[in-house]
Amino acid sequence: MLAVLVFFIVLPLLSVFSKALATPKASLEVLLQKENVRMILSSLLLGLLVVIVSTLFAYPLAFLFSSTKFSRLKAFDIIFMIPFMTPPYIASMGWILFMQKRGLLQQMLPFTKGSENWFFSLAGLVLVMSLHVFPFLMTMLKNAMLSIPASLTEAAALSGASRSLRLRKILFPLLSGPYAIGALLVFVKTLSEYGTPATLGRRIGYDVFTTQIHRYATIAPIRFAASAALSSLLVVICLILWLQQNALTRSHSYDLTAARKQKQIVLSPGMNILSWTFVVLMLVLSIGIPYFSVTATSLIKLRGYGLAKGNFTFQHFIDLFQKNSKGYRALLTSVFLACTSASIDAVIGTIVAVLGKRTGRKLGRSVEAVSLLPEMLPNIVLVIGLMLFWNRWYKVLPIYNTIWIMVLSYSVLFLPYVVQYVQSALSQMGNHLEEAGAVSGGSRMYVFRRITLPMLKKSIASGWMMTFIIAFRELVCASLIAPPNTLVVSTFIMREFEQGSVSTGMAMALICTLFTTTALLLLNRWVAKGDDA
């Protein structure tokens, strides 16, 4: 299994570095080009700004939903994950339609004319990307706040420490580790993101790593060497940040689980109103505006008339389900790719996770590490590696430029999801049942089939569903490696949006988001129901 994973994951990644190092002088010239130096600095600046703005969004919400009466409103835990589960390119399109000149905002509120000048800038790009990632940081901070014991702050208060001193000496130090880890992950996520820079960033001329790599690999003249050089640098930056994150995890871990939790803070009437205002504002910005824009645009009959009475229709949805239409074929292709790659990953991921626990320590860790490698890397880098690698193997196994290269790429990219779900289940299982089966004369395969597998089936199904959801809406892989004239949901939406058939594209976007969000909610409900049982 280790050899298989090395062949499909490690060797494609090494193809990127070998391509860049084959002509080191040319690669260095690419990195030192004026436009690429500016792009690299722009990417790092964007990541830093997104971390700052995400913190301003996430910290107050984490405090409210951990330390006040808002913590009783459990529904918000799911609601605030909707922005994170919404494909970034769809949310970005929703904001563009809302804020553009003569867009939905100016149609409803004519006095906002000129607001597009502010939005179509770096500030707007930072806002949209922050609205996508802040729920992740909020969840990390909230869990950290919930784990802080009341005894520490009470002891400090009894010793005469003021509230500001308690914040500086107790709460902030205990939160610094989780926050630093979350901030680093947000930074990596921002550097790796392609959807929002490809839609909004491209409109304002703000290039980042992913869009420049994509441009080199898709626009004539194709420059794979330049793409590999930038990909190599992006990998190095991300790996450095991952190593830093692991170091922070080791050095900022505290055993606080057994301690008594903090008492809830009672908000004054004024602070209560202010808190609700902030929560509603964040919901409007992160969910309300993009989903309103996507929904309204998908129903508009003639864009020139906008939100006028009588200018609404469901025809765009009906057209998508007309047999042999491009939208219908894109849906079928996405379902096929998502089902096939999720099923492959369910089998391989289960084998990898079980081998990692049951085999020798060094071998098991090696198998797990290689299987989880795609999670540490930007998708676009691994896809570039797969393109370079399978180009070389075309005469031996001619899957490049076919639907099967997409199946392979999706399976490689999303394997870590199943591995992690099954690993989590295995970590909670003891060995006593399997040992009892073996003592009773059962073969290793019999024990696996009749004992281990039934106990893992819920985690395998959860991993399958999560892989299906993410693969169904995947953009960067489909835009780079899809065969000619092959569209999936994401590339269909992008093409319709760029070519002016915005209503049709938004109809598909709405179907995509409703489908994936509903699937996620059903998955959470199913898992919660199983836990209660």
mmCIF file of all heavy atoms in Angstrom, residues 295-318:
data_model
loop_
_atom_site.group_PDB
_atom_site.id
_atom_site.type_symbol
_atom_site.label_atom_id
_atom_site.label_comp_id
_atom_site.label_asym_id
_atom_site.label_seq_id
_atom_site.Cartn_x
_atom_site.Cartn_y
_atom_site.Cartn_z
ATOM 1 N N THR A 295 -29.674 33.566 -5.522
ATOM 2 C CA THR A 295 -31.076 33.179 -5.716
ATOM 3 C C THR A 295 -31.808 34.161 -6.612
ATOM 4 O O THR A 295 -32.512 33.764 -7.556
ATOM 5 C CB THR A 295 -31.786 33.086 -4.351
ATOM 6 O OG1 THR A 295 -31.083 32.180 -3.503
ATOM 7 C CG2 THR A 295 -33.225 32.608 -4.520
ATOM 8 N N ALA A 296 -31.665 35.453 -6.322
ATOM 9 C CA ALA A 296 -32.362 36.464 -7.121
ATOM 10 C C ALA A 296 -31.928 36.425 -8.578
ATOM 11 O O ALA A 296 -32.751 36.471 -9.499
ATOM 12 C CB ALA A 296 -32.123 37.854 -6.528
ATOM 13 N N THR A 297 -30.626 36.321 -8.814
ATOM 14 C CA THR A 297 -30.119 36.313 -10.185
ATOM 15 C C THR A 297 -30.576 35.074 -10.936
ATOM 16 O O THR A 297 -30.865 35.135 -12.142
ATOM 17 C CB THR A 297 -28.580 36.386 -10.190
ATOM 18 O OG1 THR A 297 -28.173 37.536 -9.447
ATOM 19 C CG2 THR A 297 -28.039 36.494 -11.603
ATOM 20 N N SER A 298 -30.662 33.940 -10.241
ATOM 21 C CA SER A 298 -31.098 32.710 -10.905
ATOM 22 C C SER A 298 -32.555 32.779 -11.355
ATOM 23 O O SER A 298 -32.965 32.028 -12.244
ATOM 24 C CB SER A 298 -30.908 31.512 -9.966
ATOM 25 O OG SER A 298 -31.811 31.580 -8.870
ATOM 26 N N LEU A 299 -33.321 33.684 -10.753
ATOM 27 C CA LEU A 299 -34.750 33.800 -11.078
ATOM 28 C C LEU A 299 -35.057 34.946 -12.033
ATOM 29 O O LEU A 299 -36.191 35.074 -12.498
ATOM 30 C CB LEU A 299 -35.564 33.991 -9.791
ATOM 31 C CG LEU A 299 -35.527 32.826 -8.788
ATOM 32 C CD1 LEU A 299 -36.208 33.238 -7.480
ATOM 33 C CD2 LEU A 299 -36.188 31.586 -9.375
ATOM 34 N N ILE A 300 -34.078 35.801 -12.333
ATOM 35 C CA ILE A 300 -34.312 36.956 -13.191
ATOM 36 C C ILE A 300 -34.425 36.521 -14.648
ATOM 37 O O ILE A 300 -33.581 35.777 -15.160
ATOM 38 C CB ILE A 300 -33.179 37.995 -13.019
ATOM 39 C CG1 ILE A 300 -33.299 38.668 -11.646
ATOM 40 C CG2 ILE A 300 -33.218 39.037 -14.125
ATOM 41 C CD1 ILE A 300 -32.175 39.641 -11.338
ATOM 42 N N LYS A 301 -35.484 36.998 -15.312
ATOM 43 C CA LYS A 301 -35.719 36.624 -16.704
ATOM 44 C C LYS A 301 -34.808 37.405 -17.641
ATOM 45 O O LYS A 301 -34.089 36.841 -18.457
ATOM 46 C CB LYS A 301 -37.186 36.878 -17.068
ATOM 47 C CG LYS A 301 -37.581 36.395 -18.450
ATOM 48 C CD LYS A 301 -39.026 36.820 -18.786
ATOM 49 C CE LYS A 301 -39.998 36.225 -17.781
ATOM 50 N NZ LYS A 301 -41.412 36.581 -18.121
ATOM 51 N N LEU A 302 -34.826 38.733 -17.528
ATOM 52 C CA LEU A 302 -33.985 39.594 -18.354
ATOM 53 C C LEU A 302 -33.139 40.454 -17.424
ATOM 54 O O LEU A 302 -33.672 41.227 -16.622
ATOM 55 C CB LEU A 302 -34.839 40.488 -19.256
ATOM 56 C CG LEU A 302 -35.705 39.757 -20.291
ATOM 57 C CD1 LEU A 302 -36.646 40.734 -20.988
ATOM 58 C CD2 LEU A 302 -34.843 39.038 -21.307
ATOM 59 N N ARG A 303 -31.816 40.325 -17.517
ATOM 60 C CA ARG A 303 -30.931 41.025 -16.588
ATOM 61 C C ARG A 303 -31.065 42.541 -16.693
ATOM 62 O O ARG A 303 -30.881 43.255 -15.713
ATOM 63 C CB ARG A 303 -29.480 40.629 -16.848
ATOM 64 C CG ARG A 303 -29.140 39.207 -16.435
ATOM 65 C CD ARG A 303 -27.655 38.981 -16.502
ATOM 66 N NE ARG A 303 -26.945 39.846 -15.566
ATOM 67 C CZ ARG A 303 -25.675 40.209 -15.707
ATOM 68 N NH1 ARG A 303 -24.994 39.828 -16.781
ATOM 69 N NH2 ARG A 303 -25.091 40.975 -14.813
ATOM 70 N N GLY A 304 -31.371 43.034 -17.867
ATOM 71 C CA GLY A 304 -31.490 44.480 -18.050
ATOM 72 C C GLY A 304 -32.586 45.103 -17.211
ATOM 73 O O GLY A 304 -32.512 46.285 -16.853
ATOM 74 N N TYR A 305 -33.628 44.314 -16.867
ATOM 75 C CA TYR A 305 -34.736 44.826 -16.055
ATOM 76 C C TYR A 305 -34.516 44.581 -14.560
ATOM 77 O O TYR A 305 -35.255 45.115 -13.733
ATOM 78 C CB TYR A 305 -36.051 44.179 -16.493
ATOM 79 C CG TYR A 305 -36.526 44.663 -17.846
ATOM 80 C CD1 TYR A 305 -36.264 43.934 -18.993
ATOM 81 C CD2 TYR A 305 -37.242 45.846 -17.974
ATOM 82 C CE1 TYR A 305 -36.686 44.375 -20.238
ATOM 83 C CE2 TYR A 305 -37.673 46.296 -19.214
ATOM 84 C CZ TYR A 305 -37.387 45.556 -20.343
ATOM 85 O OH TYR A 305 -37.815 45.993 -21.568
ATOM 86 N N GLY A 306 -33.546 43.761 -14.236
ATOM 87 C CA GLY A 306 -33.185 43.559 -12.834
ATOM 88 C C GLY A 306 -34.296 43.002 -11.989
ATOM 89 O O GLY A 306 -34.988 42.046 -12.377
ATOM 90 N N LEU A 307 -34.501 43.619 -10.831
ATOM 91 C CA LEU A 307 -35.482 43.142 -9.850
ATOM 92 C C LEU A 307 -36.876 43.691 -10.098
ATOM 93 O O LEU A 307 -37.687 43.764 -9.168
ATOM 94 C CB LEU A 307 -35.020 43.527 -8.432
ATOM 95 C CG LEU A 307 -33.688 42.917 -7.974
ATOM 96 C CD1 LEU A 307 -33.279 43.482 -6.611
ATOM 97 C CD2 LEU A 307 -33.784 41.397 -7.896
ATOM 98 N N ALA A 308 -37.183 44.033 -11.311
ATOM 99 C CA ALA A 308 -38.504 44.597 -11.636
ATOM 100 C C ALA A 308 -39.600 43.546 -11.478
ATOM 101 O O ALA A 308 -39.378 42.347 -11.672
ATOM 102 C CB ALA A 308 -38.505 45.142 -13.064
ATOM 103 N N LYS A 309 -40.791 43.998 -11.145
ATOM 104 C CA LYS A 309 -41.933 43.104 -10.992
ATOM 105 C C LYS A 309 -42.227 42.398 -12.311
ATOM 106 O O LYS A 309 -42.233 43.005 -13.377
ATOM 107 C CB LYS A 309 -43.153 43.923 -10.545
ATOM 108 C CG LYS A 309 -44.385 43.071 -10.264
ATOM 109 C CD LYS A 309 -45.531 43.942 -9.781
ATOM 110 C CE LYS A 309 -46.779 43.112 -9.499
ATOM 111 N NZ LYS A 309 -47.920 43.956 -9.050
ATOM 112 N N GLY A 310 -42.472 41.094 -12.237
ATOM 113 C CA GLY A 310 -42.779 40.313 -13.425
ATOM 114 C C GLY A 310 -41.553 39.834 -14.189
ATOM 115 O O GLY A 310 -41.687 39.160 -15.217
ATOM 116 N N ASN A 311 -40.370 40.153 -13.681
ATOM 117 C CA ASN A 311 -39.146 39.774 -14.394
ATOM 118 C C ASN A 311 -38.487 38.563 -13.737
ATOM 119 O O ASN A 311 -37.265 38.486 -13.620
ATOM 120 C CB ASN A 311 -38.160 40.956 -14.412
ATOM 121 C CG ASN A 311 -36.993 40.712 -15.365
ATOM 122 O OD1 ASN A 311 -37.162 40.131 -16.429
ATOM 123 N ND2 ASN A 311 -35.807 41.157 -14.971
ATOM 124 N N PHE A 312 -39.323 37.621 -13.291
ATOM 125 C CA PHE A 312 -38.795 36.429 -12.629
ATOM 126 C C PHE A 312 -39.341 35.169 -13.289
ATOM 127 O O PHE A 312 -40.478 35.153 -13.763
ATOM 128 C CB PHE A 312 -39.150 36.438 -11.141
ATOM 129 C CG PHE A 312 -38.571 37.602 -10.387
ATOM 130 C CD1 PHE A 312 -39.326 38.732 -10.139
ATOM 131 C CD2 PHE A 312 -37.255 37.570 -9.944
ATOM 132 C CE1 PHE A 312 -38.786 39.809 -9.454
ATOM 133 C CE2 PHE A 312 -36.707 38.648 -9.259
ATOM 134 C CZ PHE A 312 -37.480 39.772 -9.017
ATOM 135 N N THR A 313 -38.516 34.150 -13.308
ATOM 136 C CA THR A 313 -38.895 32.897 -13.961
ATOM 137 C C THR A 313 -38.090 31.731 -13.386
ATOM 138 O O THR A 313 -36.998 31.936 -12.843
ATOM 139 C CB THR A 313 -38.636 32.977 -15.479
ATOM 140 O OG1 THR A 313 -39.021 31.749 -16.079
ATOM 141 C CG2 THR A 313 -37.163 33.238 -15.778
ATOM 142 N N PHE A 314 -38.662 30.523 -13.510
ATOM 143 C CA PHE A 314 -37.949 29.301 -13.119
ATOM 144 C C PHE A 314 -37.356 28.595 -14.339
ATOM 145 O O PHE A 314 -36.848 27.479 -14.213
ATOM 146 C CB PHE A 314 -38.908 28.334 -12.401
ATOM 147 C CG PHE A 314 -39.260 28.768 -10.999
ATOM 148 C CD1 PHE A 314 -40.463 29.408 -10.738
ATOM 149 C CD2 PHE A 314 -38.381 28.540 -9.945
ATOM 150 C CE1 PHE A 314 -40.795 29.802 -9.455
ATOM 151 C CE2 PHE A 314 -38.705 28.939 -8.659
ATOM 152 C CZ PHE A 314 -39.905 29.571 -8.404
ATOM 153 N N GLN A 315 -37.407 29.263 -15.484
ATOM 154 C CA GLN A 315 -36.988 28.625 -16.720
ATOM 155 C C GLN A 315 -35.512 28.225 -16.698
ATOM 156 O O GLN A 315 -35.118 27.212 -17.284
ATOM 157 C CB GLN A 315 -37.250 29.557 -17.915
ATOM 158 C CG GLN A 315 -37.038 28.907 -19.271
ATOM 159 C CD GLN A 315 -37.943 27.717 -19.505
ATOM 160 O OE1 GLN A 315 -39.135 27.768 -19.187
ATOM 161 N NE2 GLN A 315 -37.395 26.629 -20.023
ATOM 162 N N HIS A 316 -34.685 29.014 -16.008
ATOM 163 C CA HIS A 316 -33.255 28.694 -15.959
ATOM 164 C C HIS A 316 -33.012 27.353 -15.268
ATOM 165 O O HIS A 316 -32.117 26.596 -15.667
ATOM 166 C CB HIS A 316 -32.481 29.799 -15.246
ATOM 167 C CG HIS A 316 -32.694 31.158 -15.828
ATOM 168 N ND1 HIS A 316 -32.353 31.465 -17.121
ATOM 169 C CD2 HIS A 316 -33.235 32.294 -15.288
ATOM 170 C CE1 HIS A 316 -32.660 32.735 -17.369
ATOM 171 N NE2 HIS A 316 -33.194 33.253 -16.268
ATOM 172 N N PHE A 317 -33.796 27.049 -14.254
ATOM 173 C CA PHE A 317 -33.677 25.749 -13.578
ATOM 174 C C PHE A 317 -34.186 24.628 -14.481
ATOM 175 O O PHE A 317 -33.586 23.554 -14.539
ATOM 176 C CB PHE A 317 -34.465 25.767 -12.262
ATOM 177 C CG PHE A 317 -33.891 26.681 -11.212
ATOM 178 C CD1 PHE A 317 -34.315 27.991 -11.106
ATOM 179 C CD2 PHE A 317 -32.918 26.224 -10.339
ATOM 180 C CE1 PHE A 317 -33.797 28.835 -10.149
ATOM 181 C CE2 PHE A 317 -32.381 27.060 -9.368
ATOM 182 C CZ PHE A 317 -32.821 28.371 -9.272
ATOM 183 N N ILE A 318 -35.284 24.897 -15.157
ATOM 184 C CA ILE A 318 -35.845 23.882 -16.055
ATOM 185 C C ILE A 318 -34.856 23.549 -17.162
ATOM 186 O O ILE A 318 -34.668 22.377 -17.517
ATOM 187 C CB ILE A 318 -37.185 24.380 -16.646
ATOM 188 C CG1 ILE A 318 -38.212 24.586 -15.525
ATOM 189 C CG2 ILE A 318 -37.712 23.415 -17.699
ATOM 190 C CD1 ILE A 318 -39.497 25.245 -15.973
#
